[in-house]
Amino acid sequence: MNKLSKLGEPLSVGAVTIRNRVFLAPMSGVTDEAFRTRAYAHGAGLVVSEMVASGELAKGRGSSGFRIRHSGLPVHMVQLAGREAAHMAEAARIAVGEGADVIDINMGCPAKKVTGGYAGSALMRDLDFALTLIDAVVEAVDVPVTLKMRLGWDDDVLNAPELARRAEQAGVSMVTVHGRTRCQFYKGKADWQAIARVKQAVSIPVVANGDVATPEDAAEILEQSGADAVMAGRSHYGAPWTAGMIAAVASGASAAGVPSSASALADYAIAHYEDMLALYGTESGLRQARKHLGWYLDRHAAEVPDELRRGVLTSFDPAQVISSLREALTSFGEPERNAA
């Protein structure tokens, strides 16, 4: 695993120092405060907020203010999305006012509800316009600004290297590239070699993203892309320790706090559930947590009977959910063998 050794090293992003080079990707509806805190405790080098709509934040609407709340971690990174320069600038100022150490601009989200509003990866169809948003954010704040993108809109518009180069010229301190186009969504295999063209176009750090789930994946994406760091996203479903596990292997250590028995796994998932109830309140927390509980079952207890699974995922009684979850994971659960 010598190829991984650099991932255990610190990385400077502007004036901010990140403790290692294995990052948790921002994921809407997933990387809330409860999830980020867990991922960081396991050893992730950097964790990023859920994507925040800049217009909603600038206007003080919805849950956007809740999403940018500082969680007390050493580096607080907030990701913003939008297509109005004034809103992006104001949202960045608000986030920094709430303690953000780094502002990330989303130009990679493929979701139709985002691209339909000409935000996220839709911005890669008009780089001149995309640069007006980058300029607005960079000029609005004194903290490092980073950018997350895809390879392009589709196979005919693979303009990530050009966007990265222009972003660096505009003052962006780091770029993350997901090795798919927008039109691929999450289908097929991420093209790790294509990320190398972005690395060759800039002198700022480049983070490689897409299909990173294991230390072996991380080593291969580094070799193919030449990137400075890696970012893992969906592989954290049901395993908030994924980035920490990769970072631990890179540094020759053991990942912190990873459950190593079925009973420990049950305790872990229940604690996560209780954290979410405390974060959102019981009524909202019940709904918000179900996807996470489903991922724990899918990943670690796939053979759980349907009736018991329903007891975990449909009950409105937290005590019943906890009882069913404990039974499911202690009776049918099996922790990942490579997680420790």
Side-chain angles (χ1 to χ4, degrees), residues 280-303:
Y280 294 104
T282 301
E283 183 177 352
S284 178
L286 278 166
R287 298 191 303 272
Q288 299 275 0
R290 282 174 176 160
K291 57 180 170 288
H292 292 278
L293 301 186
W295 291 330
Y296 283 122
L297 295 179
D298 290 343
R299 187 163 190 148
H300 306 288
E303 301 303 317

Side-chain angles (χ1 to χ4, degrees), residues 232-276:
R234 292 171 295 148
S235 57
H236 285 85
Y237 291 178
W241 51 80
T242 297
M245 177 189 70
I246 296 170
V249 172
S251 61
S254 296
V258 179
S260 57
S261 67
S263 61
L265 178 62
D267 289 342
Y268 183 97
I270 289 167
H272 188 180
Y273 179 65
E274 292 174 334
D275 286 347
M276 294 193 71

Side-chain angles (χ1 to χ4, degrees), residues 123-333:
L123 294 165
M124 298 194 73
R125 302 175 77 176
D126 186 344
L127 297 194
D128 288 341
F129 180 73
L131 263 292
T132 66
L133 305 183
I134 294 172
D135 287 337
V137 174
V138 170
E139 292 171 6
V141 296
D142 293 326
V143 303
V145 175
T146 62
L147 177 65
K148 192 170 190 292
M149 66 181 80
R150 288 198 163 215
L151 297 177
W153 177 258
D154 56 26
D155 288 339
D156 294 326
V157 187
L158 299 174
N159 54 4
E162 181 183 357
L163 176 56
R165 178 181 56 79
R166 295 180 65 178
E168 179 181 21
Q169 293 172 348
V172 163
S173 298
M174 181 175 74
V175 296
T176 298
V177 186
H178 183 112
R180 290 182 174 88
T181 66
R182 183 272 174 182
C183 290
Q184 285 181 271
F185 287 87
Y186 294 99
K187 297 177 182 178
K189 183 73 171 67
D191 187 347
W192 294 343
Q193 291 182 336
I195 300 172
R197 293 192 285 273
V198 178
K199 175 61 181 172
Q200 294 160 5
V202 297
S203 59
I204 55 177
V206 172
V207 184
N209 174 225
D211 296 340
V212 177
T214 66
E216 292 76 18
D217 293 335
E220 188 62 27
I221 198 172
L222 282 180
E223 181 172 355
Q224 293 191 28
S225 69
D228 303 281
V230 300
M231 178 176 280
R234 292 171 295 148
S235 57
H236 285 85
Y237 291 178
W241 51 80
T242 297
M245 177 189 70
I246 296 170
V249 172
S251 61
S254 296
V258 179
S260 57
S261 67
S263 61
L265 178 62
D267 289 342
Y268 183 97
I270 289 167
H272 188 180
Y273 179 65
E274 292 174 334
D275 286 347
M276 294 193 71
L277 297 185
L279 180 65
Y280 294 104
T282 301
E283 183 177 352
S284 178
L286 278 166
R287 298 191 303 272
Q288 299 275 0
R290 282 174 176 160
K291 57 180 170 288
H292 292 278
L293 301 186
W295 291 330
Y296 283 122
L297 295 179
D298 290 343
R299 187 163 190 148
H300 306 288
E303 301 303 317
V304 66
D306 290 343
E307 183 177 355
L308 186 53
R309 182 183 178 90
R310 285 195 296 270
V312 174
L313 300 181
T314 64
S315 176
F316 288 93
D317 178 1
Q320 180 59 52
V321 172
I322 289 171
S323 176
S324 298
L325 182 60
R326 184 175 296 283
E327 180 181 354
L329 291 176
T330 54
S331 299
F332 301 93

Side-chain angles (χ1 to χ4, degrees), residues 55-144:
E56 297 296 296
L57 182 57
K59 296 173 183 177
R61 295 177 178 172
S63 62
S64 54
F66 176 77
R67 288 188 172 197
I68 68 167
R69 187 174 71 178
H70 201 302
S71 57
L73 299 179
V75 178
H76 182 41
M77 186 169 180
V78 172
Q79 187 186 72
L80 300 176
R83 65 165 282 109
E84 298 290 338
H87 289 163
M88 290 289 287
E90 180 60 18
R93 285 190 286 265
I94 292 170
V96 171
E98 292 295 320
D101 301 293
V102 183
I103 298 295
D104 187 57
I105 300 174
N106 184 310
M107 293 191 182
C109 180
K112 291 181 180 179
K113 67 179 180 180
V114 176
T115 59
Y118 301 102
S121 55
L123 294 165
M124 298 194 73
R125 302 175 77 176
D126 186 344
L127 297 194
D128 288 341
F129 180 73
L131 263 292
T132 66
L133 305 183
I134 294 172
D135 287 337
V137 174
V138 170
E139 292 171 6
V141 296
D142 293 326
V143 303

